């Protein structure tokens, strides 16, 4: 063994000793209490970590890679008993919950199978309930396992995109703990986080970045021990900072979450986050923890390094201005962003900021960033652009019958930019030097209050928990596209905390038994939503605003036999529009369990008594979300 290898091993051993008791300090649990649940004693790799952003929620555990295969044995990490079993088409698929004597609960998702006694009991319960989807709560110690005993096999069931084991650790209150804090020796991580971009946002109408208003992104490069940017920045007013970064894990290219971030201004902590424990009722706050609009637009997950309005997460420390930056003098100021993972691998971003009088302004914004119809909204401020190429011209903005003359606040090339505080009134239109631009604003909706909007085409009902922050509701007039009635609420970039009720009022005639609401993409693609018809139209609950249509599905699902014999039956089922809702199988009228894997479009039988062959008429009924049914029959 080389001297370098010995030094590296000694370093890893020292790191393990220093961090082995992190779980005790963080949670009050001994790290050594749990063994690793899959391939213990071997090096393992992760595809996901606890707390990383997963679109509409934070990831609740770690995803352990299984080398692209299913069926690896899953071991009890400590003595415990199965306290909950959940079988579902989506989500965690086949999932087990194990309760341990010290109060911890460990969770295992996307499993292929369970140990024989447990599997037989679950199957008997499915037959008794005549349902594939079940949620079961075995008696205490009914299915007990010793530490290191195999109780399941890894798989790819439910909403999994590939074979892996989803593994969670929860405390006595069912709050999610970070498994990485238990520092399993099977996981080795010496790779620091990677910082890809930083972004800065003006937080009120008087604030500027290099003399401009809005949100600005910058690529960063690594120089020496730090990430840096080379665009000089001047700040005026109140500024919010964002970071696009992710953690790398040794031996894998997965983009994992970063649990810990600090923002330092002149060595003073302005903001910090530490995602080491989460509650399930906090999950939706991810929509204001990140820049939701940027995520929908570019797919990049920028983390806000301030506590935004409506963000109820308890993972932050922000004493002044909710973590936003304010520079009030002409001195240079040192900005540093520190990021680190659960193994204390650090990365730093460093730059220098000045006030407006210190540096000459550099043009930093592309006008294409005005993503809506010639305008953008940042907080409460609407930013307008004059597209006519006539510089230094005032424009007329109309709101509630009043005309307001707006001077340009700054210029980018030959284009003028204008700002309007939406709290002063919702614009009906603006005269951009002879070009009239109309807007669809209907109401300013405040959070924590109920609000109902009624219109000839669409109604919207917000409850007191629907909104994170003030919403400037923009409802478009109904359009006809490709013969379809299209209804749009132009607030797709604004997240909802809880659902709102939307009622569409179509004028075309529909078969109400077969017709439902569908999301409608810019390319005309449809996605089933549902809804209930009444005398006013069709209503549905939604946690995202956007564009919808009403469509009729009169085509039943298809059933194609793949394997049919007395030992097993396998069938491929598909539906082209509304999607599969339910399925049922019988043999001579007796219910038979049909497992369903939607990713493979596969149904397959599972006997209650494996020793008895199937015998009789096998009937499968598949129903889609529009109520269309297809029946398959054969003699076994």
């Amino acid at each position: 063994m080389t001297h370098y290898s010995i030094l590296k091993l000694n370093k890893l051993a020292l790191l393990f000793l220093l961090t082995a008791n992190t779980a005790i300090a963080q949670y009050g649990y001994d790290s050594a209490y749990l063994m690793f649940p899959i391939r213990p004693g071997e090096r393992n790799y992760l595809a996901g970590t606890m707390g990383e952003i997963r679109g509409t929620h934070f990831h609740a555990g770690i995803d352990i890679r299984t080398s692209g295969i299913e069926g690896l044995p899953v071991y009890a990490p400590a003595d415990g008993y199965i306290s909950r079993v959940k079988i579902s088409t989506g989500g965690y698929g086949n999932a087990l919950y194990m309760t341990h004597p010290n109060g911890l609960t460990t969770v295992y998702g996307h499993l292929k199978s369970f140990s024989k006694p447990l599997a037989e009991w679950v199957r008997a319960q499915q037959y008794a309930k005549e349902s594939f989807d079940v949620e079961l709560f075995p008696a205490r110690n009914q299915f007990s396992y010793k530490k290191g005993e195999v109780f399941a096999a890894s798989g790819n069931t439910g909403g999994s995109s590939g074979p892996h084991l989803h593994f969670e650790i929860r405390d006595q209150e069912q709050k999610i703990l970070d498994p990485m804090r238990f520092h399993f020796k099977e996981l080795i991580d010496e790779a620091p986080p990677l910082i890809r971009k930083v972004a800065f946002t003006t937080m009120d109408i008087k604030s500027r970045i290099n003399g401009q208003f809005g949100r600005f992104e910058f690529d960063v490069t690594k120089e020496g021990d730090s990430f840096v940017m080379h665009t000089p920045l001047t700040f005026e007013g109140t500024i919010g900072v964002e970071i696009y970064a992710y953690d790398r894990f040794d031996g894998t290219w997965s983009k994992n979450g970063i649990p810990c971030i600090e923002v330092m201004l002149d060595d003073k902590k302005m903001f910090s986050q530490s995602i080491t424990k989460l509650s399930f009722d906090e999950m939706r706050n991810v929509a204001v923890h990140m820049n939701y609009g940027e995520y929908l637009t570019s797919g990049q997950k920028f983390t806000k390094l301030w506590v935004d309005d409506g963000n109820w997460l308890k993972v932050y420390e922000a004493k002044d201005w909710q973590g936003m930056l304010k520079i009030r003098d002409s001195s240079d100021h040192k900005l540093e962003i520190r990021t680190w993972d659960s193994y204390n691998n650090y990365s730093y971003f460093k730059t220098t900021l000045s006030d407006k009088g210190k540096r000459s302004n550099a043009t930093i914004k592309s006008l294409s960033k005005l993503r809506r119809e010639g305008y953008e909204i940042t907080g409460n401020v609407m930013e307008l652009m004059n597209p006519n190429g006539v510089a230094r011209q005032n424009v007329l903005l109309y709101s509630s019958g009043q005309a307001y003359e707006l001077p340009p606040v700054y210029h980018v090339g030959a284009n003028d930019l204008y700002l309007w505080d939406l709290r002063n009134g919702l614009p009906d239109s603006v005269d951009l030097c002879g070009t009239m631009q109309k807007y669809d604003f209907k109401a300013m909706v405040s959070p924590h209050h109920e609000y109902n909007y009624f219109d000839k085409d669409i109604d919207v009902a917000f409850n007191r928990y629907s909104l994170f922050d003030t919403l400037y509701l923009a409802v478009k007039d109904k359009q006809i596209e490709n013969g379809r009635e299209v209804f749009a609420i132009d607030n797709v970039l604004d997240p909802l905390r809880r659902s709102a009720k939307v009622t569409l009022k179509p004028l075309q005639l529909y078969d109400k038994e077969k017709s439902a609401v569908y999301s409608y993409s810019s390319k005309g693609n449809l996605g089933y939503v549902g809804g209930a018809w009444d005398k006013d139209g069709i209503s549905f609950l939604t946690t995202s605003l956007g564009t919808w249509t009403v469509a009729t599905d009169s085509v039943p699902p298809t059933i194609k036999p793949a394997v049919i014999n007395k030992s097993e039956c396998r069938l491929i089922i598909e539906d082209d529009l509304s999607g599969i809702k339910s399925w049922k199988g019988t043999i001579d009228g007796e219910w038979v369990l049909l497992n369903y894997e939607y990713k493979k479009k596969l149904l397959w039988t599972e006997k209650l008594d494996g020793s008895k062959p199937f015998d009789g008429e096998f009937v499968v009924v598949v129903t889609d979300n529009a109520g269309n049914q297809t029946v398959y029959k054969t003699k076994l």
Side-chain angles (χ1 to χ4, degrees):
M1 182 179 292
T2 65
H3 179 62
Y4 171 78
S5 299
I6 294 172
L7 287 176
K8 186 172 182 180
L9 287 174
N10 287 340
K11 179 182 177 183
L12 289 174
L14 178 61
L15 177 64
F16 180 77
L17 289 173
L18 290 174
T19 59
N21 289 322
T22 301
I24 296 178
Q26 190 80 44
Y27 305 127
Y29 298 102
D30 187 353
S31 298
Y33 183 79
L34 298 177
M35 65 176 278
F36 204 64
I38 199 163
R39 292 189 286 207
E42 301 178 33
R43 184 171 181 179
N44 278 258
Y45 300 91
L46 300 184
T49 54
M50 177 267 192
E52 68 187 36
I53 298 170
R54 292 287 181 92
T56 59
H57 63 280
F58 292 99
H59 191 230
I62 58 174
D63 288 340
I64 307 170
R65 293 183 179 274
T66 58
S67 304
I69 60 176
E70 301 180 38
L72 295 183
V74 180
Y75 300 86
D79 292 357
Y81 65 92
I82 301 301
S83 53
R84 182 184 177 194
V85 181
K86 189 169 184 180
I87 310 293
S88 57
T89 305
Y92 290 172
N94 298 336
L96 293 177
Y97 298 70
M98 182 178 287
T99 297
H100 304 283
N102 69 344
L104 289 176
T105 297
T106 50
V107 183
Y108 310 84
H110 313 302
L111 297 170
K112 179 180 182 180
S113 59
F114 308 148
S115 63
K116 186 176 180 179
L118 176 59
E120 290 176 347
W121 179 80
V122 170
R123 186 164 59 248
Q125 296 298 311
Q126 289 174 301
Y127 268 89
K129 297 175 182 294
E130 295 191 356
S131 176
F132 168 71
D133 287 6
V134 292
E135 185 172 15
L136 308 170
F137 299 90
R140 183 183 181 92
N141 295 321
Q142 183 177 356
F143 299 101
S144 296
Y145 297 90
K146 292 294 185 181
K147 185 175 184 176
E149 189 176 355
V150 175
F151 68 95
S154 67
N156 187 31
T157 56
S160 170
S161 59
H164 71 278
L165 176 67
H166 175 85
F167 176 58
E168 293 177 20
I169 302 175
R170 302 183 186 179
D171 67 11
Q172 289 175 304
E173 298 176 342
Q174 291 299 296
K175 291 185 178 179
I176 307 157
L177 309 182
D178 183 2
M180 302 289 285
R181 300 282 165 172
F182 288 76
H183 289 282
F184 296 104
K185 65 180 183 298
E186 289 80 0
L187 301 175
I188 299 173
D189 182 17
E190 292 187 294
L194 290 177
I195 302 172
R196 292 305 191 195
K197 294 182 180 182
V198 293
F200 302 94
T201 301
T202 52
M203 302 305 293
D204 57 53
I205 198 168
K206 295 182 178 180
S207 298
R208 299 289 185 271
I209 299 170
N210 283 20
Q212 300 179 48
F213 178 89
R215 180 180 178 276
F216 309 94
E217 293 179 12
F218 302 91
D219 294 323
V220 302
T221 57
K222 191 168 186 181
E223 295 183 1
D225 294 332
S226 302
F227 291 87
V228 299
M229 54 177 284
H230 295 287
T231 303
L233 287 182
T234 60
F235 282 4
E236 178 182 0
T238 306
I239 306 298
V241 185
E242 301 172 18
I243 187 172
Y244 172 51
Y246 45 84
D247 192 28
R248 288 293 198 201
F249 206 78
D250 287 17
T252 178
W253 289 100
S254 298
K255 296 179 180 179
N256 299 321
I258 300 174
C260 299
I261 304 176
E262 281 184 349
V263 178
M264 309 292 292
L265 186 65
D266 297 328
D267 297 321
K268 177 184 177 183
K269 185 192 295 185
M270 304 299 295
F271 168 90
S272 67
Q273 74 165 47
S274 179
I275 302 178
T276 58
K277 180 185 288 191
L278 288 170
S279 297
F280 282 97
D281 59 4
E282 297 176 322
M283 286 295 192
R284 187 63 184 172
N285 287 283
V286 72
V288 284
H289 170 82
M290 67 171 171
N291 187 315
Y292 181 79
E294 187 62 33
Y295 169 66
L296 292 186
T297 304
S298 70
Q300 295 179 338
K301 302 169 185 176
F302 279 83
T303 298
K304 296 177 182 177
L305 304 184
W306 76 92
V307 184
D308 206 354
D309 293 339
N311 188 345
W312 296 345
L313 279 172
K314 302 178 181 65
V315 300
Y316 310 112
E317 181 183 343
K319 296 180 180 179
D320 300 327
W321 311 298
Q322 298 172 256
M324 293 175 278
L325 305 183
K326 286 193 177 184
I327 296 179
R328 298 174 173 175
D329 56 44
S330 59
S331 302
D332 285 346
H333 296 273
K334 182 176 67 175
L335 174 66
E336 181 178 357
I337 302 174
R338 303 171 179 173
T339 67
W340 67 98
D341 60 25
S342 300
Y343 282 72
N344 292 325
N345 299 301
Y346 278 78
S347 288
Y348 305 88
F349 166 79
K350 297 178 181 180
T351 194
T352 300
L353 309 174
S354 300
D355 85 332
K356 63 178 180 178
K358 189 71 175 179
R359 290 182 179 157
S360 60
N361 293 338
T363 300
I364 54 175
K365 185 170 187 178
S366 166
L367 297 180
S368 64
K369 292 294 286 185
L370 297 175
R371 290 188 288 248
R372 310 191 199 209
E373 295 179 352
Y375 73 91
E376 185 59 275
I377 295 176
T378 303
N380 298 305
V381 181
M382 181 179 184
E383 182 181 8
L384 309 171
M385 180 187 71
N386 183 354
N388 295 323
V390 181
R392 280 69 172 173
Q393 295 290 315
N394 292 356
V395 300
L396 287 176
L397 181 143
Y398 297 90
S399 175
S400 301
Q402 297 291 319
Y404 300 87
E405 188 171 0
L406 299 183
V409 292
Y410 60 88
H411 319 280
V412 178
N415 297 278
D416 291 338
L417 277 294
Y418 308 84
L419 300 179
W420 175 255
D421 192 327
L422 291 168
R423 293 171 294 185
N424 294 330
L426 299 179
D428 306 315
S429 59
V430 63
D431 183 350
L432 295 168
C433 304
T435 300
M436 291 298 297
Q437 176 68 56
K438 293 185 177 181
Y439 301 110
D440 299 305
F441 295 110
K442 305 300 182 183
M444 182 174 70
V445 187
S446 300
H448 317 307
H449 297 87
E450 293 183 357
Y451 182 85
N452 295 300
Y453 169 79
F454 300 101
D455 189 74
K456 67 182 189 313
D457 297 323
I458 188 169
D459 297 341
V460 190
F462 298 98
N463 64 55
R464 59 183 300 190
Y465 300 110
S466 293
L467 302 180
F468 287 103
D469 199 0
T470 300
L471 176 74
Y472 297 101
L473 182 65
V475 181
K476 290 181 172 293
D477 292 336
K478 184 182 69 176
Q479 302 293 315
I480 303 297
E481 297 182 13
N482 300 318
R484 298 190 184 279
E485 296 177 277
V486 177
F487 307 81
I489 300 177
D490 195 22
N491 295 96
V492 65
L493 302 182
D494 300 306
L496 299 183
R497 179 187 296 280
R498 297 286 186 266
S499 61
K501 181 181 179 181
V502 176
T503 301
L504 307 183
K505 304 174 184 179
L507 295 180
Q508 296 178 11
L509 296 178
Y510 296 91
D511 178 353
K512 294 183 179 180
E513 296 295 323
K514 305 291 185 183
S515 301
V517 176
Y518 291 76
S519 61
Y520 187 79
S521 75
S522 59
K523 296 181 179 180
N525 297 324
L526 303 182
Y528 179 79
V529 175
W533 289 91
D534 59 23
K535 61 182 178 60
D536 296 321
I538 183 168
S539 300
F540 60 98
L541 297 177
T542 182
T543 54
S544 59
L545 302 176
T547 304
W548 305 277
T549 189
V550 177
T552 302
D553 180 5
S554 57
V555 180
T558 61
I559 304 176
K560 297 178 181 178
V563 176
I564 302 292
N565 57 51
K566 291 180 177 290
S567 297
E568 66 170 339
C569 299
R570 291 175 173 262
L571 308 102
I572 304 298
I573 63 173
E574 296 185 70
D575 190 77
D576 288 337
L577 188 54
S578 62
I580 302 295
K581 180 181 181 180
S582 64
W583 60 95
K584 182 179 180 180
T586 59
I587 296 180
D588 278 352
E590 294 292 325
W591 188 87
V592 62
L593 175 60
L594 286 174
N595 297 297
Y596 180 43
E597 175 50 71
Y598 75 92
K599 298 187 292 293
K600 298 178 180 178
K601 305 175 183 178
L602 179 65
L603 285 178
W604 71 97
T605 55
E606 189 171 351
K607 298 176 181 178
L608 180 60
D609 184 348
S611 65
K612 295 181 179 180
F614 290 132
D615 187 27
E617 185 181 43
F618 178 46
V619 179
V620 177
V621 181
V622 177
T623 307
D624 66 17
N625 282 297
N628 302 300
Q629 286 190 341
T630 297
V631 179
Y632 170 82
K633 296 181 180 181
T634 191
K635 184 71 175 178
L636 297 176

